[in-house]
Amino acid sequence: MSIAENVAALRARMAEAARAAGRDPAEILLCAATKMNDAARVREAVASGVDCCGENRVQELTEKQPLGAYEGCPVHFIGRLQTNKVNKVVGKVDLLQSVDRMELLEAVNKAALRLGVRQEILLEVNIGAEPQKGGFSPEETRALAARMREFPGVFLRGLMAIPPISEKKGDNCKYFAKMRNLFIDIAGEKYDNVSMVCLSMGMSDDFEDAIAEGSTMIRVGTAIFGPRHYN
Ligand SMILES: *Cc1c(COP(=O)(O)O)cnc(C)c1O
């Protein structure tokens, strides 16, 4: 199957999942998780009509961006970001989805102010409370959203989560539901410097459950590009 065929098949499954949940398919955006795919393959995904591209590694972003890989398409950063690399990402991506700790938020805010830009961000939530993973707890996320006016270099646009690896289909529904509730609670507070428009959750193996539970953006790699070959 070509990338275009994969994207078309994915769109059909997304629409079906949306309809089954009584949602409008247009509410749900498709972010192509482009890690380990070169600029030509990324361009193919863009031409197939994905809504945005999400890069995991600074080095890949830095290599593919000058090659025009994302031209005509928003690009997001979705991976773990070291504070000493924020300058390579801030102002260069439309959305930084993976703000997963206080130190990073502070560094991104500073870098944006220095550049005179306002970096749109999501807060990453460690919804499974997994010790090896980054991300704020739901309580920390609520408290931080209330303080976003203290970070004028950024603009909080929503939340992102990577739930635990699931053993079987449906296992992650409870985490997705928790995320939706957190998202709705924060949106209802109408905090300064916060506009809760994006709930980024769901990947190749569980996006239908994520859509059923309220996701507004799924991040998909394998189902678009095929399996990744790590070496
Ligand atoms: C790789 C990746 C995805 C997509 O994973 P697939 O299972 O290949 O769809 C989504 N989100 C993040 C943060 C990723 O790193």
Side-chain angles (χ1 to χ4, degrees), residues 35-77:
K35 59 175 170 279
M36 303 183 69
N37 285 281
D38 64 16
R41 287 171 64 78
V42 175
R43 269 196 298 270
E44 240 182 288
V46 169
S48 307
V50 300
D51 296 299
C52 55
C53 294
E55 283 294 354
N56 270 77
R57 298 185 185 129
V58 172
Q59 195 186 332
E60 289 195 45
L61 175 73
T62 308
E63 282 171 10
K64 291 177 226 177
Q65 204 159 34
L67 298 174
Y70 321 113
E71 227 159 87
C73 189
V75 59
H76 296 182
F77 195 80

Side-chain angles (χ1 to χ4, degrees), residues 98-119:
S98 45
V99 175
D100 60 356
R101 61 201 191 278
M102 201 59 197
E103 182 198 24
L104 180 61
L105 175 62
E106 283 165 353
V108 168
N109 183 60
K110 245 189 224 152
L113 291 174
R114 210 162 38 226
L115 280 174
V117 299
R118 198 149 166 236
Q119 177 65 59

